[in-house]
Amino acid sequence: MSNSAETTSKRPLRVAIVGAGPAGVYAADILTKSNEVKDGDFEVSIDLFEAYPAPYGLIRYGVAPDHPRIKGIVNALHKVLDRGDIRFLGNVTYGRDLTLHDFRAFYDAVIFSTGAIRDAELDIPGVGLEGSFGGADFVSWYDGHPDVPRDWPLDAREIAVIGNGNVALDVARMLVKHADDLLVTEIPDNVYQALKGSPVTDVHVFGRRGPAQVKFTPLELRELSHARDVDIVLYPEDFEFDEASDSAIRGNNQIRTMVNTLTNWLVEEHAEAEVPSSRRLHLHFLHSPVEIHDGATSPGKVTGIKFERMQLDGTGNVKGTGQFLDYPVGAVYRAIGYHGSALDELEFDTRRGVIPNEGGRVLDAGGTPVPGIYATGWIKRGPVGLIGHTKGDALETIGFLLEDRLTLPPAQNPDPQAIIELLEERGIEYTTWAGWNKLDAHELALGAEWSAASAAATGPTTAVVRERVKVVPREEMVKISRG
């Protein structure tokens, strides 16, 4: 038996997970429930670190508040962390508060699950104009991310959203929905007030390929039809299907469901309701962005966007037609994907936005696995797939960690209290699971207070019931959490 195995066999294996979103929580849960741990081969002691004062990562700061699956996922993550066998340490930023050297000193293994929060780049002229926004930045704003500005310019009547994934639909839905209909969610008050003052009438969502190639899910698509006083507008010329499209529709239930939904909407002509809605959500396909432009009367500010009309090439891909179309819009939101951010002291693949790894084992510059360092989630494989896919991803990473456990470089100071002493010595105002429960209760109380005021003002039958109101300022979150 190696020195590492001898050392760690006498005490629990100390594991740090950096990132407390679904990927990190799933990794922690899978490790604690592994056969090796359940059978008593070894014990494990896990600390789950998060840069924000609150847990849940993407679920709290990366998904639209009216998303129907949020509550179920939060409940599942809460149950894992509420068991008490995984320690949560929030408001601790890797690379600033703690370095890789620090983690090496206190843990036998470190798993990075930091996700991807930056917008993928769109390299076209005009992308830097005033009124051109990254979809990820907008998501962070409406989700009350503690590190983004509280204000957002919502002055455009017509808006373009570029992208055909779930994030594009979330962005479009949040822009076109009436703010009062979002009060039943945990939307922060500053976001509600800004959206309520928006003059928007039309939101256009543009995708490069056809209806059979969209990347969003049936659930996201159906959510669009639930928006009150919003007409969905589609265009017959966009419904082009090639041989590959027909094959995909026949062979994939999800694609068939989405295409059927879209074509039914097209036939029903939602826009021809007896009383036209005050807002419209346009879905465009086979449009490739060419340029965002300003105007002579508004130099430096978005006044329109140009697309090239595309056509399917028989394989499900597209080619240009040479026909160009201009749409007058006052704002453009790019929602073509996310990109990971580099982490101090680790190699980084700038093209893919991931930490180089083999199955979750992090690699050095020479392509050799770094002992004791792992990755999972989007920082491991890129921002693709649904939240549920991170479970399988974490299973792979934890499998390799378990394989390696007898050869991991042992921590110099594995005492669980030692990392707490270091954080306190450095004056880091870390938060805990007990602190999150305080903040959670505070946000629920804010919702109850708002609901009571609404009932008093309008009567109980017409009152708006808010389950919670999200706290935005980091300082306030920390103060409430730390009591």
Side-chain angles (χ1 to χ4, degrees):
M1 185 180 287
S2 68
N3 288 338
S4 173
E6 289 174 356
T7 301
T8 56
S9 66
K10 299 172 184 175
R11 60 167 173 81
L13 186 76
R14 290 283 286 145
V15 178
I17 300 177
V18 183
V25 176
Y26 290 150
D29 189 41
I30 289 168
L31 180 55
T32 59
K33 292 178 178 176
S34 65
N35 290 331
E36 291 84 349
V37 172
K38 287 195 299 184
D39 294 344
D41 292 354
F42 74 102
E43 293 181 52
V44 65
S45 169
I46 301 173
D47 285 343
L48 184 62
F49 290 86
E50 173 56 57
Y52 310 127
Y56 307 143
L58 171 72
I59 298 301
R60 184 170 169 93
Y61 294 122
V63 181
D66 64 341
H67 198 292
R69 293 179 60 225
I70 284 183
K71 192 176 295 184
I73 296 170
V74 166
N75 288 341
L77 299 179
H78 180 95
K79 286 179 181 177
V80 173
L81 295 179
D82 205 43
R83 294 195 311 247
D85 56 349
I86 299 163
R87 184 166 64 174
F88 171 75
L89 295 170
N91 202 38
V92 180
T93 300
Y94 172 78
R96 185 190 68 192
D97 299 328
L98 293 176
T99 66
L100 186 61
H101 176 77
D102 294 325
F103 280 107
R104 288 285 206 184
F106 296 100
Y107 299 92
D108 306 300
V110 185
I111 303 172
F112 288 92
S113 58
T114 51
I117 59 171
R118 291 194 299 117
D119 281 289
E121 294 184 1
L122 178 65
D123 187 17
I124 61 173
V127 77
L129 290 172
E130 180 186 346
S132 172
F133 305 107
D137 293 334
F138 183 58
V139 171
S140 292
W141 173 75
Y142 68 58
D143 271 334
H145 192 295
D147 298 333
V148 302
R150 303 285 185 269
D151 301 320
W152 191 272
L154 290 166
D155 53 5
R157 295 178 64 84
E158 294 198 74
I159 300 171
V161 178
I162 303 172
N164 254 178
N166 286 341
V167 175
L169 289 196
D170 278 354
V171 167
R173 199 174 65 252
M174 288 295 290
L175 286 166
V176 80
K177 221 172 182 181
H178 290 277
D180 285 347
D181 295 335
L182 292 165
L183 281 173
V184 294
T185 74
E186 61 182 29
I187 184 173
D189 281 333
N190 65 298
V191 176
Y192 166 70
Q193 295 297 340
L195 290 173
K196 191 168 179 63
S198 171
V200 66
T201 58
D202 293 83
V203 175
H204 300 260
V205 181
F206 296 94
R208 285 187 72 250
R209 298 200 287 171
Q213 287 80 38
V214 294
K215 297 298 183 183
F216 41 74
T217 60
L219 183 66
E220 288 282 343
L221 185 61
R222 284 194 295 269
E223 276 301 296
L224 296 183
S225 64
H226 297 159
R228 178 185 61 85
D229 190 35
V230 176
D231 286 332
I232 298 173
V233 184
L234 299 112
Y235 299 86
E237 63 270 24
D238 288 346
F239 282 74
E240 178 181 314
F241 301 96
D242 60 0
E243 186 177 336
S245 301
D246 291 336
S247 177
I249 293 168
R250 289 193 302 269
N252 186 298
N253 285 333
Q254 178 166 303
I255 293 174
R256 182 164 57 250
T257 297
M258 288 191 293
V259 169
N260 285 343
T261 299
L262 289 166
T263 51
N264 286 341
W265 286 352
L266 181 65
V267 171
E268 291 168 7
E269 289 292 346
H270 281 212
E272 293 185 0
E274 289 183 11
V275 180
S277 299
S278 67
R279 295 179 176 182
R280 288 159 295 281
L281 178 60
H282 307 254
L283 299 179
H284 303 267
F285 304 99
L286 299 169
H287 282 66
S288 181
V290 174
E291 179 183 5
I292 302 169
H293 54 79
D294 55 3
T297 57
S298 301
K301 189 177 188 315
V302 171
T303 58
I305 183 168
K306 177 184 287 187
F307 291 90
E308 181 176 10
R309 183 75 187 175
M310 309 302 284
Q311 64 183 19
L312 293 165
D313 66 1
T315 69
N317 291 312
V318 292
K319 59 184 179 181
T321 64
Q323 177 189 0
F324 295 92
L325 303 167
D326 275 294
Y327 293 84
V329 295
V332 174
Y333 289 75
R334 309 178 303 279
I336 58 173
Y338 286 97
H339 200 76
S341 301
L343 296 168
D344 287 357
E345 302 180 74
L346 297 175
E347 291 298 314
F348 190 70
D349 183 334
T350 54
R351 183 183 63 83
R352 295 180 57 220
V354 300
I355 300 171
N357 69 92
E358 286 183 354
R361 288 182 174 124
V362 171
L363 305 177
D364 63 19
T368 302
V370 182
I373 307 297
Y374 303 86
T376 191
W378 281 3
I379 200 65
K380 168 189 173 182
R381 59 183 166 85
V384 293
L386 301 175
I387 290 171
H389 293 147
T390 57
K391 285 186 179 179
D393 195 48
L395 192 63
E396 179 185 52
T397 294
I398 295 303
F400 283 122
L401 188 155
L402 291 171
E403 271 186 33
D404 301 340
R405 73 182 187 279
L406 299 181
T407 57
L408 295 172
Q412 299 161 26
N413 191 347
D415 182 352
Q417 185 59 25
I419 189 67
I420 299 298
E421 291 172 356
L422 179 66
L423 292 172
E424 291 177 346
E425 179 186 315
R426 292 181 177 175
I428 298 164
E429 294 186 302
Y430 65 90
T431 60
T432 63
W433 182 246
W436 160 247
N437 284 327
K438 291 179 186 177
L439 179 57
D440 185 35
H442 180 82
E443 293 185 344
L444 291 170
L446 290 177
E449 182 182 326
W450 204 100
S451 301
S454 176
T458 66
T461 57
T462 56
V464 175
V465 177
R466 299 189 72 179
E467 183 175 347
R468 71 164 64 230
V469 178
K470 188 182 288 184
V471 174
V472 178
R474 180 184 286 264
E475 317 79 56
E476 187 179 351
M477 293 172 69
V478 172
K479 181 179 178 181
I480 295 166
S481 299
R482 289 175 64 89

